[in-house]
Amino acid sequence: MQNLKVPFSPLHFQNDTLYLLDQRKLPLREVWVRCRDSRAVWQAIRTMVVRGAPAIGVTAGYGLYLGIRTFQGNRRAFCRKLVEQAKYLDSSRPTARNLAYAVERIVKKVNASEESNVLRLKRRVLEEARNIHQEDILISRNIGKYGSRLFKKGDCILTHCNAGGLATSGYGTALAVFYAMKEKGISFSVLVDETRPLLQGARLTAWELQKSKIPSTLICDNMAASLMRAGKVNGVVVGADRIAMNGDTANKIGTYGVAVLAHHHGIPFYIAAPSTTFDLNAKTGKDIPIEERAAEEVTELFGARTAPRNMKVYNPAFDVTPHELIHGIITEAGVLLPPFTRSIKKIKQLLLK
Ligand code: MRU
């Protein structure tokens, strides 16, 4: 696969070591975390050193290699170990489909080969992890290509959370649309939701857009409604963590609210996501597991308490936007339009990879 340029990459793999840009420290510091075994990778995904569905998938692929790298034994035992490690990594975060996609794809690849030499099987695991990584870059580029055709000069587009280079292998999904528009010379601007509780919008999307010199304005989540009413928003593009077969889409908590607002104000609402985010086993949004995270993410801000002690907290990391509120799903194979049950079927071959 050709080497495509990306604005920056949140991860790279070299000499049996996975290097992850610690996204918890951004935008103030650029610190790299080194992972040399699958435990470290599991921990990095769980604690959100790396986050964003496609980036988690790519990370898990390398994590699987690190989990079997030192294994000794025959092919049968190797395959058992591989499945055990795949399940282990998949348990790190439940909602992003791309994670399961990556580890399942590698297991399938190994099971389908008749290779009995374990050293060569290990090499295949690494090779497939690298393929997933490279493909993710190409996919993002194509999402950008198709998504950039949906907007015009002067548009102001709102995004929620971070679906950028940091959440993928370097070019993004929702932000790929912006990068592609900039490359085409279209002048436009972006409204960035800060995205409570972990501020992926303020810390990460703002950092990316500033670095790429894309005109952008940061707002608190509760400011979108009044800006939409004032006619200041022409469209919304967000990423996705898992998409059901009817188009219902799980993404960062608050996305559903943005979609309801956009619908009320007659503003087009788009999801940008690779085929690796679709879940063939989820018929509707009801089949998507929603991760709940620690109470401290809501009761504290950067370690400082902002709520009374012992306050009861509800902290789902994602919500599901029903398909009726989505104008289109921008994928690497083009923009899927409603009815999604039909348009998603058209890309089924891609989903079976
Ligand atoms: O909890 P996070 O930061 O991993 O959540 C990320 C999101 O919800 C993104 O919007 C989604 O993964 C799409 S990333 C291209």
Side-chain angles (χ1 to χ4, degrees):
M1 184 157 302
Q2 72 196 108
N3 250 338
L4 289 161
K5 272 192 125 186
V6 290
F8 50 85
S9 179
L11 61 111
H12 62 96
F13 190 83
Q14 214 177 354
N15 300 332
D16 286 346
T17 307
L18 179 63
Y19 295 85
L20 297 169
L21 179 57
D22 191 341
Q23 300 194 27
R24 300 166 307 179
K25 305 267 180 358
L26 288 173
L28 301 181
R29 284 193 299 144
E30 291 181 32
V31 178
W32 289 84
V33 169
R34 264 188 298 189
C35 301
R36 292 194 50 85
D37 55 35
S38 60
R39 247 171 86 98
V41 173
W42 189 96
Q43 201 60 29
I45 296 175
R46 172 72 123 219
T47 60
M48 296 173 69
V49 166
V50 60
R51 34 66 52 204
I56 293 175
V58 173
T59 298
Y62 287 122
L64 190 50
Y65 169 70
L66 293 175
I68 50 84
R69 187 176 66 91
T70 56
F71 172 84
Q72 295 206 327
N74 61 20
R75 177 189 158 106
R76 217 160 159 216
F78 176 82
C79 290
R80 263 204 311 270
K81 173 91 178 167
L82 190 69
V83 170
E84 175 199 302
Q85 285 291 310
K87 282 192 184 143
Y88 169 63
L89 286 160
D90 191 28
S91 72
S92 56
R93 283 194 82 190
T95 303
R97 167 64 197 156
N98 314 57
L99 204 174
Y101 164 85
V103 293
E104 282 167 13
R105 172 169 156 179
I106 295 172
V107 170
K108 236 193 323 190
K109 181 92 182 177
V110 167
N111 285 340
S113 90
E114 281 168 16
E115 181 60 66
S116 58
N117 181 303
V118 166
L119 197 66
R120 279 202 285 268
L121 283 175
K122 287 182 188 175
R123 270 196 226 124
R124 286 218 179 149
V125 170
L126 180 57
E127 197 180 277
E128 200 58 9
R130 286 195 199 282
N131 288 341
I132 293 168
H133 188 178
Q134 282 303 304
E135 282 171 27
D136 188 54
I137 300 174
L138 185 61
I139 284 171
S140 284
R141 284 261 166 201
N142 284 326
I143 288 174
K145 181 177 88 182
Y146 292 117
S148 62
R149 295 178 186 162
L150 298 169
F151 298 100
K152 57 179 191 331
K153 188 176 165 207
D155 275 351
C156 176
I157 310 161
L158 184 138
T159 191
H160 187 75
C161 193
N162 173 264
L166 289 167
T168 61
S169 304
Y171 197 71
T173 56
L175 267 55
V177 175
F178 306 154
Y179 291 134
M181 285 173 74
K182 179 163 166 92
E183 281 164 22
K184 281 166 125 180
I186 302 172
S187 58
F188 67 103
S189 61
V190 180
L191 279 171
V192 181
D193 267 0
E194 66 170 354
T195 317
R196 271 286 284 153
L198 293 183
L199 304 176
Q200 287 93 331
R203 295 186 302 104
L204 310 175
T205 298
W207 180 79
E208 278 198 34
L209 294 179
Q210 202 175 58
K211 235 177 155 55
S212 305
K213 300 194 169 46
I214 292 176
S216 45
T217 305
L218 179 63
I219 57 169
C220 298
D221 300 334
N222 50 11
M223 295 170 185
S226 63
L227 284 167
M228 286 186 182
R229 190 165 177 83
K232 301 231 161 104
V233 184
N234 305 101
V236 177
V237 190
V238 296
D241 285 82
R242 194 182 293 237
I243 302 175
M245 287 302 105
N246 69 343
D248 289 354
T249 296
N251 190 49
K252 179 52 55 195
I253 189 74
T255 302
Y256 173 39
V258 176
V260 171
L261 288 176
H263 180 74
H264 180 78
H265 294 96
I267 296 165
F269 177 93
Y270 293 101
I271 298 290
S275 55
T276 51
T277 307
F278 290 77
D279 185 353
L280 285 167
N281 296 317
K283 272 199 186 136
T284 74
K286 290 205 175 93
D287 301 316
I288 300 178
I290 300 293
E291 175 184 11
E292 280 191 42
R293 295 187 61 88
E296 289 71 34
E297 290 182 358
V298 179
T299 57
E300 293 176 7
L301 257 184
F302 304 111
R305 236 189 138 75
T306 55
R309 281 188 200 286
N310 304 322
M311 186 66 200
K312 197 173 151 202
V313 168
Y314 173 53
N315 185 20
F318 304 97
D319 58 25
V320 174
T321 298
H323 60 93
E324 314 85 82
L325 299 179
I326 301 169
H327 277 68
I329 305 177
I330 310 161
T331 72
E332 73 267 33
V335 182
L336 308 182
L337 297 173
F340 293 114
T341 32
R342 200 177 306 154
S343 52
I344 291 174
K345 261 197 204 124
K346 285 199 195 135
I347 61 156
K348 202 152 182 185
Q349 270 322 101
L350 261 183
L351 310 184
L352 289 170
K353 201 166 176 187

